């Protein structure tokens, strides 16, 4: 008989395993169980490895993460080896080679050790039913689960076994066989008591719950069904989350907030929600005035309430480590565990877990979770920006940021504030902080290269966008940007230092650069460094020229081409902030001289051609300076003079300078920085065209200037995107009116006598004086700039000079009157 039962059990297990094989890929419980088998393969057949939390009876088939960490919920876990569900040991054999005997559901309760449930089934007259024909699923509470049941409830069941206990046990049963593979996440099944609904959750970590009770021993096959052992006794559920909030006295503050925000109705809708419900005590902990401000703002109050609600059902027993979940507000919270306690965003705050409802679960918390979207911009600063936040408050700037206004805080981290900065005159410190506050609300996605941002202090800050960094002036952002109710906060490594001087002025006012400055002036490059532009200049200190005699300096200056080649190798187009470079990666820049510069950041230090920068990011209105203590020289540029070679070898020892006798340095014209020429001459085909300009007439002409193509980088969806823009300048030239005479203008070059004579005759005898002007400068009355995005409009280059067939003629751009007096020009 015993052999027959074992054979029947083996056939049943095999049949059911084959039957459900197609679903195995989506059954997390079975996957985790398979991993447990693999981990225990050295212990013999059909052995599973489990982890037991030290000091408790809790055992888990663990995920790889928990297994290799050796912890569950932050507590050390020991390894146990047990027979996998459905198998048993045999004397003298390794592992668990035998299939567990198969019996009806009542007998199977004894096999899995749920003896209390078995006993109560006998007492309540349920035994006859679960021994008989049928196909049942029994979620059987373990013996420990019955011990944990509230004493009053437990006594009520025992005192009325025929009704209360019988109904309670029926509430644990489903009238069909459901293996763990069938218990899909979000599934709702109907129990055998009063059609009560049981909510199934099947989590990726292998945990399966029934109304938040965890299955601790699953899939024990019976002849008339299956038994799953669970870790708590199920009680009937009939209320929604809304019902609980409305009825619970300790949630009156939450109830008021839910009603004011319009979220209460959502809590009564069907779904699978998790509510972290702050108690009245939690609301009482909020700083004075914060709750009133949030509740008076419909948008903020709705965000506050929705931030406490997950759109997924998260039972406490399913949390084995930290996991991030999205709230109805849109942002995320991290739900974790610390031993028996649940944590939210790393803080122990849950004081009552798993209040199961028909549409989800409630966990009572003793802190109110305030999302960024409900905070004022100054409240967004975290612990790493505490110094900035405190200074803004102490210096009276926080009070000037009105709740109805919009701002952006550019917040340096705590370590950016040195002792010298913190002890400086508070008036100066206030000005510094004002330049870290923008008068507009601007997010990371709205920043683009070349953008100017106006601060509360009136300064214009430049934005630089690089491949892996966004910088404002000398300071680059780090992760952590947040959006609040009335603004954004962006986090920076350093204090922002707005530029006050040009590159040339910086050189003049810093004695460290006096030698380099004298060479710049000798090469007539001071104008380059004084005009508007965007340059990066690598400036050697006076230490780089140690040992250079006055005679050697004169020799160096005497060859202008050589001097310019050397100096312009230190200059490159574009503003490149040191911390804007991706660490450890070589960045190749082309200097104005034409040679390549190799830049790299290692351990927060900028290297230029492997030379360390002594100080980076000295900002200027037209560029940035990186300080070095060596003179730079292009490695591939030969020297043809013995005397110059001697001087350079004296100054430059880190590379081998090439020598080619007689080699001359190429001239570098200074046109690389001169603005484009505005005079336009058009050569047209055909005879000159004449017209008479009579007294009092006004002539307006529009000249289209050469288009300017701008390329910049804009942050779109968190990624830098190249954007090209075309600017077309129109110059409106207004001529006249004339006072006493009529002028004749020729739009061609030479005029024929016959044509001039004819025009004079037609003009009449009263016009006795004729002026012919063939050249002159226009007076610009107004300038229009039209921007065209090249993604929408193709670029067509405007030709400033065109020659066609026929006799070339010069068009006159302006007729200059020779009148004694001219009335003011009229605006067109």
């Amino acid at each position: 008989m015993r052999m027959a039962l074992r054979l029947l059990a083996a056939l049943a297990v095999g049949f059911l395993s084959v039957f459900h094989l197609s679903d195995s890929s989506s059954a997390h419980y079975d996957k985790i169980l398979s991993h447990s088998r693999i981990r225990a393969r050295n212990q013999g057949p059909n052995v599973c490895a489990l982890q037991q939390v030290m000091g408790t009876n809790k055992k888990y088939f663990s995920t790889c993460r928990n297994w290799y960490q050796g912890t569950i919920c932050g507590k050390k876990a020991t390894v146990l080896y047990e027979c996998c569900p459905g198998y048993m040991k045999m004397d003298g054999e390794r592992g668990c080679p035998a299939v567990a005997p198969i019996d009806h559901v009542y007998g199977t309760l004894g096999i899995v050790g749920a003896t209390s449930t078995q006993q109560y089934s006998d007492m309540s007259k349920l035994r006859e039913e679960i021994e008989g024909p049928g196909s049942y699923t029994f979620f059987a509470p373990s013996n420990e689960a019955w011990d944990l049941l509230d004493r009053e409830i437990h006594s009520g069941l025992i005192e009325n076994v025929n009704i209360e206990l019988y109904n309670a046990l029926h509430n644990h049963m489903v009238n069909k066989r459901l293996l763990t593979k069938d218990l899909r996440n979000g599934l709702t099944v109907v129990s055998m008591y009063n059609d009560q609904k049981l909510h199934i959750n099947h989590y990726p970590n292998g945990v399966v719950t029934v109304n938040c009770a965890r299955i601790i021993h699953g899939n024990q096959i019976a002849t008339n069904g299956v038994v799953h052992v669970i870790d708590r006794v199920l009680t009937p559920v009939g209320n929604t989350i809304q019902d609980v909030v409305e009825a619970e006295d300790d949630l009156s503050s939450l109830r008021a907030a839910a009603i004011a925000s319009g979220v209460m109705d959502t809590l009564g809708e069907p779904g699978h929600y998790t509510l972290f419900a702050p108690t009245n005590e939690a609301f009482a902990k909020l700083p004075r005035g914060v709750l009133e401000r949030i509740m008076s703002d419909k948008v903020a109050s709705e965000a506050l309430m929705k931030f406490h609600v997950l759109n997924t059902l998260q039972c406490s027993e399913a949390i084995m480590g930290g996991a991030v979940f999205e709230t109805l507000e849109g942002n995320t919270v991290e739900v974790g565990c610390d031993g028996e306690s649940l944590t939210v965003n790393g803080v122990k705050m849950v004081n009552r877990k798993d209040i199961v409802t028909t549409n989800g679960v409630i966990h009572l918390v003793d802190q109110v979770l305030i999302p960024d979207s409900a905070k004022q911009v100054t409240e967004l600063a975290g612990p790493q920006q505490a110094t900035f936040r405190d200074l803004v408050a102490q210096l009276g700037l926080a009070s000037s940021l009105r709740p109805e206004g919009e701002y952006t805080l550019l917040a340096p981290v705590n370590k950016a504030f040195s002792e010298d900065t913190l002890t400086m005159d508070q008036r100066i410190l206030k000005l510094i902080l004002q330049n870290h506050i923008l008068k507009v609300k601007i997010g990371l996605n709205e920043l683009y290269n070349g953008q100017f941002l106006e601060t509360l202090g009136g300064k214009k800050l430049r934005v630089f966008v690089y491949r892996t960094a966004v910088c404002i002036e000398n300071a680059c952002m780090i992760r952590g940007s947040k959006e609040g109710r009335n603004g954004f906060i962006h986090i920076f490594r350093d204090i922002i230092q707005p530029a006050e001087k040009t590159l040339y002025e910086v050189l003049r006012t810093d004695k460290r650069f006096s030698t380099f400055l004298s060479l710049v002036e000798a090469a007539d490059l001071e104008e380059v460094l004084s005009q508007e532009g965007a340059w990066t200049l690598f400036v050697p200190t006076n230490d780089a020229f140690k040992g250079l005699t006055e005679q050697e300096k004169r020799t160096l200056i005497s060859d202008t081409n050589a001097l310019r080649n050397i100096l312009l190798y230190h200059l490159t187009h574009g503003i490149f902030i040191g911390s804007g470079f991706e660490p450890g990666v070589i960045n190749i820049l082309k200097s104005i001289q034409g040679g390549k510069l190799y830049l790299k950041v290692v351990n927060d230090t900028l290297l230029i051609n492997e030379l360390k920068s002594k100080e980076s990011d000295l900002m200027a209105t037209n560029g940035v300076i990186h300080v070095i203590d060596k003179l730079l020289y292009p490695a591939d540029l030969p020297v043809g003079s013995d005397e110059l070679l001697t001087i350079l070898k004296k100054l430059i020892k880190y590379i081998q300078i090439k020598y080619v006798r007689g080699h001359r340095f190429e001239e570098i014209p200074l046109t690389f920085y001169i603005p484009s020429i505005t005079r336009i001459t058009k050569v047209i085909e055909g005879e000159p065209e004449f017209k008479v300009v009579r007294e009092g007439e006004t002539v307006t002409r529009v000249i289209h200037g050469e288009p300017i193509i701008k390329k910049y980088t804009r942050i779109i969806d968190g990624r830098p995107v190249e954007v090209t823009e075309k600017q077309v300048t129109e110059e409106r030239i207004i001529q006249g009116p004339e006072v006493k005479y009529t002028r004749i203008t020729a739009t061609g070059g030479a005029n024929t006598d016959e044509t001039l004579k004819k025009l004079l005759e037609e003009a009449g005898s009263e016009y006795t004086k004729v002026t012919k002007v063939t050249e002159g400068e226009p007076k610009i009355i107004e300038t229009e700039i039209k921007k065209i995005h090249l993604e929408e409009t193709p670029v067509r280059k405007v030709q400033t000079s065109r020659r066609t067939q026929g006799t070339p003629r010069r068009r006159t751009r302006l007729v200059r009157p020779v009148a004694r007096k001219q009335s003011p020009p009229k605006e067109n």
Side-chain angles (χ1 to χ4, degrees):
M1 181 65 178
R2 185 178 177 184
M3 290 298 295
L5 283 173
R6 287 184 179 178
L7 179 60
L8 181 59
L11 289 173
V13 171
F15 171 74
L16 289 169
S17 298
V18 171
F19 185 77
H20 291 278
L21 189 61
S22 61
D23 296 331
S24 62
S25 63
S26 60
H28 302 297
Y29 176 91
D30 298 279
K31 286 182 180 180
I32 299 297
L33 189 63
S34 298
H35 292 166
S36 297
R37 279 176 174 269
I38 294 171
R39 294 176 188 135
R41 59 184 178 272
N42 294 332
Q43 305 298 316
N46 306 316
V47 178
C48 284
L50 295 88
Q51 284 183 299
Q52 181 174 358
V53 180
M54 291 185 66
T56 72
N57 293 323
K58 286 190 171 185
K59 295 184 287 187
Y60 297 85
F61 298 113
S62 297
T63 63
C64 292
R65 177 183 175 185
N66 293 112
W67 180 262
Y68 290 111
Q69 287 180 346
T71 61
I72 293 175
C73 286
K75 302 298 181 182
K76 187 171 178 58
T78 57
V79 177
L80 299 178
Y81 296 102
E82 296 181 357
C83 290
C84 296
Y87 297 91
M88 59 182 291
K89 290 181 175 293
M90 288 185 65
D91 292 339
E93 299 287 339
R94 287 183 73 246
C96 305
V99 176
I102 189 168
D103 203 349
H104 43 59
V105 169
Y106 178 81
T108 304
L109 292 173
I111 293 173
V112 296
T115 55
S116 294
T117 301
Q118 189 181 45
Q119 178 187 353
Y120 294 146
S121 298
D122 201 3
M123 292 168 58
S124 63
K125 310 304 182 186
L126 182 65
R127 175 175 179 174
E128 183 179 348
E129 185 177 344
I130 59 178
E131 282 184 337
S135 181
Y136 307 112
T137 297
F138 203 138
F139 298 106
S142 67
N143 294 345
E144 291 80 6
W146 286 105
D147 293 337
L148 293 172
L149 185 62
D150 181 82
R151 288 297 91 195
E152 187 176 344
I153 296 175
H154 191 273
S155 298
L157 296 176
I158 299 303
E159 290 171 3
N160 191 348
V161 293
N162 292 330
I163 297 177
E164 296 296 337
L165 183 58
Y166 179 84
N167 289 341
L169 292 174
H170 257 186
N171 191 47
H172 291 73
M173 294 177 61
V174 178
N175 201 12
K176 60 179 176 181
R177 177 189 284 115
L178 295 169
L179 300 182
T180 52
K181 298 173 184 178
D182 305 311
L183 300 176
R184 301 185 309 276
N185 189 51
L187 177 68
T188 299
V189 296
V190 178
S191 78
M192 294 176 63
Y193 166 65
N194 203 26
D195 290 338
Q196 282 285 318
K197 292 181 179 179
L198 303 178
H199 298 293
I200 307 298
N201 287 95
H202 197 143
Y203 298 96
N205 60 4
V207 172
V208 182
T209 62
V210 184
N211 282 6
C212 284
R214 179 170 66 95
I215 294 178
I216 57 177
H217 186 114
N219 295 335
Q220 193 69 40
I221 304 299
T223 57
N224 58 346
V226 62
V227 174
H228 305 291
V229 182
I230 58 177
D231 68 350
R232 70 184 69 175
V233 178
L234 304 179
T235 55
V237 175
N239 295 324
T240 65
I241 294 176
Q242 179 180 359
D243 295 333
V244 175
V245 172
E246 289 178 338
E248 188 73 36
D249 291 338
D250 199 26
L251 299 179
S252 59
S253 296
L254 177 68
R255 179 164 60 248
I259 293 171
S261 64
V263 177
M264 181 64 91
D265 291 341
T266 302
L267 302 180
E269 296 173 355
H272 296 83
Y273 302 114
T274 299
L275 171 65
F276 294 100
T279 61
N280 293 342
E281 182 184 355
F283 278 98
K285 292 179 183 178
L286 289 176
R288 188 176 181 180
V290 170
L291 183 60
E292 289 79 2
R293 174 180 59 77
I294 294 176
M295 287 299 104
S296 64
D297 183 341
K298 183 66 182 293
V299 175
S301 62
E302 183 179 357
L304 176 75
M305 277 302 305
K306 288 187 174 181
F307 192 59
H308 289 80
V309 185
L310 310 182
N311 201 19
T312 57
L313 200 157
Q314 295 299 323
C315 300
S316 64
E317 284 300 315
I319 306 296
M320 298 171 63
V324 175
F325 301 96
E326 185 175 353
T327 68
L328 292 187
E329 182 264 346
N331 283 306
T332 60
V333 293
E334 182 182 0
V335 181
C337 52
D338 186 352
E340 293 291 320
S341 302
L342 277 187
T343 61
V344 181
N345 292 338
V347 179
K348 285 185 182 181
M349 61 173 67
V350 179
N351 51 29
R352 185 179 168 193
K353 302 178 288 187
D354 297 335
I355 303 173
V356 180
T357 68
T358 58
N359 62 343
V361 64
I362 300 173
H363 306 297
L364 300 187
V365 296
D366 59 13
Q367 292 186 33
V368 178
L369 306 173
I370 302 180
D372 292 339
S373 57
K375 294 178 180 178
Q376 292 292 291
V377 67
T378 52
E379 297 170 343
L380 297 175
Q384 295 302 313
Q385 302 89 48
T387 303
F388 174 78
R389 179 191 59 217
D390 294 345
L391 288 174
V392 167
Q394 292 168 15
L395 297 174
L397 293 174
S399 59
S400 65
L401 305 181
R402 305 182 311 278
E404 66 275 12
E406 291 191 337
Y407 308 95
T408 301
L409 302 185
L410 312 176
V413 295
N414 296 339
K415 64 180 182 181
F417 292 90
S418 65
E419 189 65 29
D420 291 340
T421 302
L422 295 175
T423 55
M424 67 172 47
D425 188 301
Q426 289 204 343
R427 291 169 296 180
I428 299 175
L429 187 56
K430 185 174 183 178
L431 289 174
I432 292 174
L433 293 179
Q434 283 179 331
N435 289 328
H436 289 75
I437 303 174
L438 307 181
K439 296 186 289 187
V440 293
K441 181 179 179 181
I442 186 164
L444 182 61
N445 289 354
E446 299 171 87
L447 297 175
Y448 59 89
N449 195 56
Q451 187 177 14
F452 283 88
L453 306 172
E454 186 174 357
T455 71
L456 205 61
K459 295 291 185 182
K460 293 289 184 68
L461 304 180
R462 295 164 294 181
V463 178
F464 310 111
V465 177
Y466 306 109
R467 201 170 75 91
T468 59
V470 177
C471 306
I472 295 180
E473 294 297 336
N474 60 294
C476 294
M477 290 186 192
I478 59 178
R479 291 182 182 275
S481 295
K482 299 176 185 177
E483 181 180 7
R485 184 71 181 95
N486 66 335
F488 279 92
I489 187 170
H490 302 301
I491 315 304
F492 289 82
R493 293 189 183 97
D494 305 293
I495 294 175
I496 296 172
Q497 298 172 354
E500 302 286 350
K501 304 172 182 178
T502 66
L503 291 169
Y504 180 63
E505 289 169 338
V506 173
L507 295 182
R508 287 185 58 190
T509 55
D510 195 323
K511 294 180 180 179
R512 293 178 298 170
F513 310 136
S514 58
T515 304
F516 185 77
L517 174 64
S518 65
L519 297 178
V520 166
E521 292 174 338
D524 294 327
L525 296 177
E526 61 268 33
E527 189 175 355
V528 178
L529 304 182
S530 300
Q531 290 192 356
E532 290 184 5
W535 308 98
T536 296
L537 181 62
F538 304 97
V539 181
T541 62
N542 294 340
D543 290 340
F545 302 95
K546 275 185 179 179
L548 185 68
T549 66
E550 285 300 318
Q551 178 58 44
E552 290 170 334
K553 185 176 178 181
R554 285 193 292 270
T555 301
L556 188 60
I557 292 173
S558 64
D559 188 340
T560 303
N561 287 342
L563 183 58
R564 284 186 178 175
N565 270 268
I566 295 171
L567 296 179
L568 292 179
Y569 183 63
H570 293 72
L571 185 68
T572 184
H573 277 296
I575 298 177
F576 297 97
I577 307 302
S579 51
F581 291 112
E582 183 179 353
V585 177
I586 297 175
N587 300 268
I588 304 174
L589 305 180
K590 186 178 180 181
S591 71
I592 299 302
Q593 178 270 338
K596 293 178 180 178
L597 294 161
Y598 300 90
L599 279 69
K600 182 169 62 173
V601 173
V602 178
N603 297 327
D604 294 329
T605 300
L606 179 63
L607 305 181
I608 305 99
N609 294 356
E610 298 300 325
L611 299 175
K612 287 185 179 181
S613 172
K614 297 302 179 182
E615 184 179 356
S616 296
D617 306 330
L618 296 181
M619 303 307 297
T621 57
N622 57 346
V624 63
I625 288 174
H626 301 299
V627 182
I628 51 180
D629 61 0
K630 298 284 191 301
L631 187 68
L632 299 177
Y633 191 84
D636 58 351
L637 183 64
V639 175
S641 163
D642 292 323
E643 195 173 7
L644 181 58
L645 180 64
T646 302
I647 295 172
L648 292 179
K649 282 186 173 182
K650 188 175 184 179
L651 301 177
I652 302 170
K653 296 182 172 60
Y654 58 91
I655 61 170
Q656 185 70 34
I657 300 175
K658 295 179 181 179
Y659 177 73
V660 177
R661 184 174 298 279
H663 177 269
R664 293 182 176 275
F665 290 94
E666 293 184 5
E667 180 182 358
I668 302 178
L670 300 185
T671 54
F672 65 84
Y673 78 95
I674 297 176
S676 57
I677 299 173
T678 57
R679 179 177 296 182
I680 300 172
T681 300
K682 288 189 177 180
V683 180
I684 60 173
E685 176 184 2
E687 292 297 319
E689 178 183 343
F690 299 94
K691 68 177 178 178
V692 176
V693 183
R694 298 183 182 277
E695 180 178 351
E697 290 184 350
T698 300
V699 179
T700 302
R701 301 173 57 203
V702 178
I703 298 178
H704 292 271
E706 186 72 25
I708 301 172
I709 306 299
K710 282 189 174 182
K711 290 187 177 181
Y712 57 86
T713 305
R714 184 184 291 274
I715 298 293
I716 300 176
D717 294 331
R719 301 179 63 185
V721 176
E722 293 291 338
V723 178
T724 306
E725 186 178 89
K726 174 183 176 183
Q727 289 188 356
V728 178
T729 303
E730 290 187 353
E731 297 175 349
R732 298 183 179 272
I733 304 170
I734 299 178
Q735 302 169 354
E738 305 299 333
V739 181
K740 295 291 185 181
Y741 58 91
T742 298
R743 299 177 299 117
I744 296 180
T745 70
T747 56
N751 302 317
T752 63
D753 293 338
E754 290 80 10
T755 306
L756 289 171
K757 183 177 179 180
K758 183 177 180 182
L759 285 170
L760 285 172
E761 291 173 352
E762 292 174 353
S765 58
E766 62 181 287
Y767 306 114
T768 57
K769 189 171 184 178
V770 176
T771 301
K772 181 178 71 175
V773 181
T774 59
E775 213 171 359
E777 287 300 319
K779 180 178 181 181
I780 307 302
I781 303 302
E782 61 175 296
T783 300
E784 294 182 356
I785 296 180
K786 298 181 179 179
K787 293 186 177 180
I788 305 169
H789 283 283
L790 299 185
E791 289 82 359
E792 300 175 359
T793 306
V795 178
R796 184 177 63 187
K797 187 173 181 182
V798 178
Q799 299 292 335
T800 58
S801 180
R802 177 170 59 89
R803 184 177 297 276
T804 60
Q805 293 180 353
T807 305
R809 295 288 184 264
R810 180 178 299 277
R811 172 176 289 171
T812 303
R813 297 184 61 204
L814 173 70
V815 175
R816 189 187 306 277
V818 292
R820 293 181 298 275
K821 185 176 182 182
Q822 180 175 325
S823 61
K826 297 179 182 178
E827 293 290 340
N828 188 36

